[in-house]
């Protein structure tokens, strides 16, 4: 028996657009197919599936409730059909794979409540509770493990990028007294900026580079500026490494990269306006052919020198 024959037997066709009729005796049809129109979602299923559980659908298709059919024999259910496929899957298998979105789980639970499918309602409630209890970090900071990974992160990011490279073990000399404190301040500033501009700028950490403390700023996949926070100072008898904390400069460059929050379409005028030459010297013909991505502002903190390494004879002649 076809689905059309089944519907004709249960509810004789009429010339009217729709008709209310009873499906009494439909449970005897077993695995015969019927046609459903749920808010425009059309599907075929069997009465056996619809009457497996004690739900409103069982009441509808066992004759206890009247149903509405159209002139073509489709049984009409005035509900959103978005999740009706999941409803049928649960009726067949007693389980389903729930949507990942919390909003969609809520929508499915609303439909399950309407059809009085208590088991599915409980599944949705448990899933929503798990999502509520799950910890979602406010901010994720990638840590670079290789130069290739860094390159892929920067090229694939649709946001501006700020990178902090810090590696205290790269030092060849001893540190000045305030260097450790300044290094910690750089790291703390990085953490504050990553929270403040979370969602607008991608912040990444590099702990394998060759520098001791260095900030890099990228826009549209190109390096725009670099702030190096280390320098070599000369004490009376030995060289020392000094770490600075140029807070104002770091803030300035971070705000500059916000100009690159636009879609990934290279804006040469913007790149030219926010990029400076490496030096004011006359460039060679090869330098003139460099791309804009090679024009990076490199800012180094002032180098302090307390040791005069000129030869004694020069000093004497100067005094004379």
């Amino acid at each position: 028996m076809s689905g059309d024959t089944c519907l004709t037997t249960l509810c004789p066709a009429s010339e009217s657009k729709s008709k209310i009729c009873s499906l009494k005796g439909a449970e005897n049809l077993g695995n015969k197919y019927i046609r459903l129109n749920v808010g425009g979602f059309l599907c075929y299923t069997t009465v056996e599936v619809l009457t497996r559980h004690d739900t409103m659908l069982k009441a509808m298709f066992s004759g206890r409730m009247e149903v509405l059919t159209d002139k073509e024999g489709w049984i009409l259910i005035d509900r959103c059909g978005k999740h009706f496929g999941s409803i049928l899957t649960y009726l067949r298998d007693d389980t389903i794979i729930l949507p990942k979105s919390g909003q969609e789980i809520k929508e499915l639970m609303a439909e399950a409540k309407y059809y009085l499918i208590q088991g599915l309602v409980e599944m949705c409630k448990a899933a929503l509770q798990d999502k509520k209890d799950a910890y979602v970090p406010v901010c994720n900071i990638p840590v670079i493990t290789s130069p290739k990974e860094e390159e892929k992160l920067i090229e694939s990011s649709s946001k501006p990028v700020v990178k902090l490279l810090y590696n205290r073990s790269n030092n060849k000399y001893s540190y000045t007294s305030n260097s450790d404190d300044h290094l910690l301040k750089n790291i703390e500033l990085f953490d504050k900026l990553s929270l403040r501009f979370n969602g607008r700028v991608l912040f990444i950490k590099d702990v394998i580079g060759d520098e001791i403390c260095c900030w890099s700023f990228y826009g549209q996949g190109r390096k725009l500026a670099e702030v190096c926070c280390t320098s070599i100072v000369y004490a009376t008898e030995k060289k020392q490494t000094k770490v600075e904390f140029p807070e104002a400069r770091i803030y300035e460059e971070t705000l500059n990269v916000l100009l690159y929050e636009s879609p990934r379409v290279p804006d040469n005028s913007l790149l030219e306006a926010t990029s400076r030459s490496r030096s004011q010297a006359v460039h060679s013909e090869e330098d003139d052919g460099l791309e804009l991505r090679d024009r990076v502002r490199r800012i180094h903190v002032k180098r302090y020198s307390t040791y005069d390494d000129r030869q004694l004879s020069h000093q004497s002649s100067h005094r004379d």
Side-chain angles (χ1 to χ4, degrees):
M1 181 185 295
S2 65
D4 292 337
T5 305
C6 169
L7 288 170
T8 302
T9 303
L10 294 173
C11 184
S14 65
E15 297 180 357
S16 60
K17 293 184 178 180
S18 61
K19 182 177 180 180
I20 298 176
C21 62
S22 172
L23 296 183
K24 188 174 182 180
E27 65 271 15
N28 298 324
L29 294 175
N31 60 354
K32 302 303 179 182
Y33 279 87
I34 61 174
R35 300 183 295 178
L36 300 178
N37 182 344
V38 185
F41 173 79
L42 306 179
C43 65
Y44 284 80
T45 188
T46 64
V47 173
E48 182 182 10
V49 169
L50 296 171
T51 58
R52 280 190 64 191
H53 299 264
D54 189 15
T55 65
M56 191 180 76
L57 290 170
K58 182 176 182 179
M60 291 174 61
F61 293 93
S62 61
R64 286 183 285 166
M65 295 177 60
E66 293 182 336
V67 296
L68 183 67
T69 62
D70 63 13
K71 62 180 181 180
E72 297 179 354
W74 290 88
I75 298 176
L76 305 178
I77 299 178
D78 189 18
R79 294 291 294 181
C80 176
K82 178 180 178 181
H83 298 288
F84 195 73
S86 298
I87 296 290
L88 291 179
T89 300
Y90 181 83
L91 294 178
R92 293 188 190 101
D93 304 332
D94 293 327
T95 185
I96 60 169
I97 298 176
L98 293 174
K100 294 182 179 180
S101 167
Q103 179 61 34
E104 290 191 357
I105 294 177
K106 291 179 181 179
E107 294 172 1
L108 177 59
M109 185 170 66
E111 295 302 306
K113 287 181 178 180
Y114 175 80
Y115 295 114
L116 303 178
I117 308 174
Q118 191 59 34
L120 183 54
V121 172
E122 295 301 326
M123 278 186 64
C124 293
K125 285 183 177 179
L128 290 174
Q129 185 62 41
D130 290 342
K131 284 185 173 292
K132 185 178 179 181
D133 295 340
Y135 172 73
V136 179
V138 176
C139 182
N140 291 311
I141 305 296
V143 178
I144 300 300
T145 59
S146 69
K148 188 173 182 180
E149 181 185 16
E150 175 186 347
E151 182 179 351
K152 286 185 176 180
L153 272 174
I154 295 172
E155 288 183 352
S156 62
S157 176
S158 59
K159 307 173 186 176
V161 178
V162 174
K163 182 189 78 170
L164 173 62
L165 188 163
Y166 64 93
N167 191 346
R168 192 179 185 280
S169 62
N170 281 336
N171 185 31
K172 295 180 180 179
Y173 312 106
S174 61
Y175 286 99
T176 59
S177 58
N178 293 327
S179 291
D180 283 336
D181 185 48
H182 288 165
L183 182 60
L184 289 175
K185 286 182 178 179
N186 278 281
I187 297 173
E188 288 175 357
L189 179 60
F190 178 87
D191 293 339
K192 291 178 182 178
L193 291 175
S194 62
L195 289 174
R196 180 174 180 180
F197 296 106
N198 180 39
R200 300 179 64 186
V201 178
L202 173 64
F203 289 85
I204 59 179
K205 285 185 177 181
D206 185 353
V207 294
I208 62 172
D210 297 329
E211 297 285 347
I212 295 173
C213 183
C214 184
W215 295 72
S216 300
F217 304 85
Y218 302 83
Q220 296 181 357
R222 303 177 182 182
K223 191 171 186 178
L224 306 173
E226 183 180 86
V227 178
C228 183
C229 303
T230 57
S231 60
I232 302 297
V233 297
Y234 296 85
T236 305
E237 297 179 354
K238 59 182 179 179
K239 296 180 181 179
Q240 286 187 310
T241 299
K242 185 170 187 176
V243 179
E244 289 288 347
F245 178 50
E247 184 176 12
R249 175 62 69 182
I250 295 168
Y251 267 112
E252 179 183 348
E253 297 301 336
T254 303
L255 294 176
N256 281 339
V257 298
L258 294 178
L259 295 172
Y260 294 83
E261 286 187 286
S262 57
R264 293 296 298 273
V265 178
D267 187 340
N268 290 334
S269 61
L270 181 60
L271 287 169
E272 290 179 358
T274 56
S275 299
R276 302 173 188 170
S277 301
R278 293 183 180 179
S279 66
Q280 298 299 325
V282 178
H283 297 287
S284 64
E285 292 183 0
E286 293 181 356
D287 291 336
D288 292 337
L290 292 178
E291 296 181 2
L292 286 174
R293 64 187 176 191
D294 292 327
R295 302 174 59 188
V296 179
R297 295 193 302 279
R298 303 187 186 279
I299 300 99
H300 293 264
V301 296
K302 183 178 179 180
R303 299 179 183 274
Y304 296 88
S305 177
T306 58
Y307 176 69
D308 191 349
D309 57 357
R310 291 178 298 174
Q311 295 182 4
L312 182 61
S313 60
H314 292 173
Q315 297 181 31
S316 302
S317 62
H318 178 72
R319 285 195 295 270
D320 294 341

